[in-house]
Amino acid sequence: MSNLISNNPVCIKSVLFLCVLLFVSCRTNKTESVQDTGLLSEIEVSLDTLVQTWYPKTVDSIHGGFWSNFNYKWEKEGKQNKMLVSQARHVWTASTLALFYEDKKYEEIAAHGYRFLNDVMWDKNYGGFHTLIRTKNDSSVVLSNTKSTYGNSFAIYGLATYYKASKDTTALNLAKKTFLWLEEHAHDPVHKGYFDVLKPNGSWLLDVDKNDSDYDNFARKDWKDQNSSIHLLESFTALYEVWENPLLKQRLEELLGLIRDTITTSKGYLSLHLERDWKPISLRDSTDTYRKQNFWMDHVSFGHDVETAFLMLEASHVLGKKKDSATLKKAKKMVDHALEWGWDEQNGGFYDGGYYWDEEGKRTIENEAKVWWTQAEGLNSLLLFSKLFPDESRYLELFEKQWDYLVTHMIDHQYGGWFHEGLDTHPEAKYDAKAHNWKVNYHNIRALVNTVQMLKDEFPLTEEKH
């Protein structure tokens, strides 16, 4: 039989055609297997359940905005102070759900949050948004004594997305106003990028040597940082989708270049804090005690790395960069680096933080916690890269393993919502608060919405495969 094939050109062509057909079929079936096994339906149900856990429970119909603090059984508990970041994230989430479900009730929830941002959290004296307030009866008290570029970026993110859902031009105008306020007060015209920590009137703290006024985050007053930078990228991307302003485009391109080429190292991870001229802050030569006390200043944050890979590609797409190989290459490197070092091969999930100890590459995992937002961003990026690089089957395999991790260790099947930390690394997390000012729902709801759209081939970033 083998001789017959080898000596028959027609047979040879037929066999080659069948091989090619089988190869293409295997690739297609591998990609579609997620839907065939019912995983798409499972994720959709999980999304619906998560959304119904948060809304309308968190809507504060008494003071406006959203309640901040809930215990593990979803009972209101605590001071209920309202932080700009969490309030704006709710506006973004509700607006996104209004678009995703095409359901007016979520648009109404977003409108409720928008009114609180506009009426209560905007500083009518100096402009910009207050960082933290306490509401009582019909009055509010400002608790923060600095303005935050990071917080204002989320205001832009929520307002732009609310406009996209509602076409309420007053919200778009407030988003534009916030962008221009940041341009005037936070942007560094010399070294580019933005300062995060500002005085209440928006001025810089560079000339302040002693913290006599008890300014928040005084240690970071002179620095740039990856966290505010990537979320400015995120918010400017959302705003540029609905407002193609030349200055906004310039700043969005500036941020994309800085994050990709300067803040992200050649190894593929973000420097967390940097001097004004973008020299990274390093604690490598500090004492062990000082370094552990200030872990937040300098480590490798795998969650931010996989999230930024997605945010850079999203920005590039909205800017219309059809063949942006530089951004794609760096984004892939960031995801691959996080998988190589920060991924738990046994159980799945991404660890919180690691550290490089020398130029030769000695490294350790410094914090094995698997925090909820990191797992959500990991799920989103793994499926995204499985779509962008279908020849590399590991992305899809690890996406499925990540989903199994979430179902087993992260999602609370009794009370609803996600635990703060995976139960495999912290079993007592089942008794931790389900919501507070730093634990809202935009990471995990965004991840689930995006993965559903990707599995249905309805996600804009997967139009081109590489």
Side-chain angles (χ1 to χ4, degrees):
M1 184 67 178
S2 60
N3 290 334
L4 177 62
I5 293 176
S6 63
N7 295 323
N8 191 328
V10 176
C11 287
I12 292 173
K13 290 181 180 180
S14 298
V15 170
L16 289 174
F17 174 76
L18 288 172
C19 288
V20 171
L21 186 63
L22 180 62
F23 173 73
V24 172
S25 176
C26 287
R27 285 181 55 188
T28 303
N29 289 340
K30 181 63 179 174
T31 305
E32 294 177 350
S33 65
V34 176
Q35 297 185 44
D36 296 341
T37 58
L39 189 53
L40 171 59
S41 298
E42 189 178 331
I43 294 174
E44 288 180 311
V45 170
S46 185
L47 172 60
D48 293 345
T49 303
L50 183 63
V51 171
Q52 292 161 21
T53 299
W54 281 87
Y55 303 116
K57 187 191 305 290
T58 57
V59 176
D60 182 353
S61 58
I62 300 172
H63 308 103
F66 301 88
W67 299 109
S68 303
N69 301 92
F70 290 83
N71 65 19
Y72 74 99
K73 292 190 289 187
W74 284 101
E75 300 165 333
K76 283 199 292 291
E77 190 176 271
K79 294 181 179 180
Q80 304 299 339
N81 294 332
K82 294 181 178 178
M83 185 173 70
L84 173 60
V85 172
S86 53
Q87 297 298 312
R89 285 174 171 178
H90 273 297
V91 175
W92 179 89
T93 301
S95 301
T96 297
L97 293 174
L99 292 164
F100 179 75
Y101 287 119
E102 298 182 350
D103 191 331
K104 281 287 184 180
K105 71 182 177 186
Y106 296 112
E107 184 182 322
E108 291 168 3
I109 292 173
H112 172 83
Y114 156 62
R115 288 191 293 271
F116 186 77
L117 292 179
N118 182 69
D119 298 344
V120 180
M121 298 212 74
W122 179 262
D123 185 344
K124 295 173 178 57
N125 293 322
Y126 296 115
F129 286 94
H130 297 298
T131 302
L132 186 69
I133 65 169
R134 179 178 67 243
T135 57
K136 186 175 181 179
N137 298 326
D138 294 328
S139 63
S140 60
V141 178
V142 177
L143 300 178
S144 51
N145 56 8
T146 55
K147 291 274 174 62
S148 167
T149 295
Y150 175 89
N152 278 267
S153 75
F154 276 103
I156 294 173
Y157 195 42
L159 292 167
T161 309
Y162 172 61
Y163 168 74
K164 189 175 180 180
S166 67
K167 301 299 183 252
D168 184 342
T169 56
T170 63
L172 178 59
N173 289 337
L174 185 55
K176 295 177 182 179
K177 191 176 179 180
T178 309
F179 166 73
L180 294 173
W181 187 88
L182 289 174
E183 175 67 22
E184 179 182 355
H185 294 93
H187 184 256
D188 183 350
V190 178
H191 297 286
K192 309 304 179 185
Y194 294 77
F195 294 106
D196 179 32
V197 185
L198 306 170
K199 292 180 182 178
N201 64 5
S203 59
W204 296 355
L205 285 157
L206 293 178
D207 58 343
V208 180
D209 296 324
K210 294 183 179 180
N211 194 12
D212 297 332
S213 299
D214 196 27
Y215 288 118
D216 301 321
N217 295 308
F218 190 75
R220 300 193 297 111
K221 69 181 182 69
D222 299 344
W223 298 348
K224 312 284 177 59
D225 69 281
Q226 60 83 19
N227 209 12
S228 58
S229 298
I230 68 171
H231 291 298
L232 283 168
L233 180 79
E234 172 184 65
S235 67
F236 288 3
T237 297
L239 184 56
Y240 190 68
E241 277 192 280
V242 295
W243 182 47
E244 294 188 355
N245 174 270
L247 178 60
L248 174 61
K249 181 179 182 181
Q250 181 182 342
R251 294 292 175 255
L252 181 55
E253 290 177 330
E254 177 183 302
L255 280 167
L256 178 58
L258 282 169
I259 293 166
R260 182 191 64 210
D261 303 329
T262 300
I263 301 178
T264 302
T265 70
S266 60
K267 287 184 171 70
Y269 67 91
L270 292 157
S271 300
L272 298 193
H273 293 89
L274 308 98
E275 302 281 1
R276 183 184 178 185
D277 61 359
W278 301 106
K279 179 183 177 181
I281 302 297
S282 173
L283 301 184
R284 186 181 297 160
D285 298 328
S286 302
T287 65
D288 189 57
T289 299
Y290 182 82
R291 188 186 57 77
K292 288 181 178 179
Q293 289 175 345
N294 295 278
F295 181 71
W296 59 272
M297 285 188 190
D298 177 32
H299 64 272
V300 178
S301 175
F302 303 111
H304 285 115
D305 293 341
V306 295
E307 179 183 18
T308 300
F310 158 65
L311 295 178
M312 290 195 308
L313 292 173
E314 183 183 49
S316 177
H317 176 82
V318 169
L319 284 167
K321 298 179 181 292
K322 295 295 184 182
K323 299 292 182 182
D324 188 0
S325 58
T327 299
L328 181 66
K329 182 179 180 181
K330 182 56 73 74
K332 188 177 188 300
K333 191 169 190 177
M334 297 174 84
V335 172
D336 289 348
H337 179 271
L339 285 172
E340 177 194 354
W341 180 12
W343 172 259
D344 181 352
E345 294 183 0
Q346 181 176 350
N347 294 325
F350 290 91
Y351 296 120
D352 177 67
Y355 204 81
Y356 275 104
W357 288 102
D358 52 40
E359 296 300 327
E360 283 68 40
K362 179 185 175 184
R363 56 196 183 181
T364 56
I365 296 295
E366 296 290 295
N367 185 2
E368 293 186 349
K370 296 177 185 175
V371 185
W372 99 97
W373 69 266
T374 297
Q375 310 319 313
E377 296 300 340
L379 185 80
N380 178 60
S381 289
L382 286 171
L383 184 57
L384 174 61
F385 277 79
S386 78
K387 293 286 188 177
L388 294 176
F389 296 92
D391 289 340
E392 298 190 41
S393 60
R394 67 174 184 141
Y395 292 123
L396 185 59
E397 293 165 359
L398 294 177
F399 163 76
E400 292 176 294
K401 187 168 185 176
Q402 178 71 347
W403 177 249
D404 287 340
Y405 175 82
L406 293 173
V407 171
T408 305
H409 300 289
M410 185 63 66
I411 297 173
D412 186 343
H413 301 285
Q414 181 178 3
Y415 294 109
W418 289 21
F419 301 118
H420 173 82
E421 186 180 331
L423 299 184
D424 58 324
T425 56
H426 183 35
E428 296 303 305
K430 64 175 68 175
Y431 303 116
D432 289 346
K434 281 289 169 40
H436 50 74
N437 274 324
W438 287 109
K439 187 177 187 294
V440 198
N441 55 19
Y442 111 100
H443 285 287
N444 44 2
I445 286 181
R446 178 172 71 182
L448 297 182
V449 167
N450 286 358
T451 53
V452 167
Q453 291 178 330
M454 280 186 260
L455 291 173
K456 290 182 175 180
D457 290 326
E458 298 172 352
F459 195 62
L461 299 192
T462 60
E463 290 176 353
E464 292 187 31
K465 293 179 173 59
H466 303 271

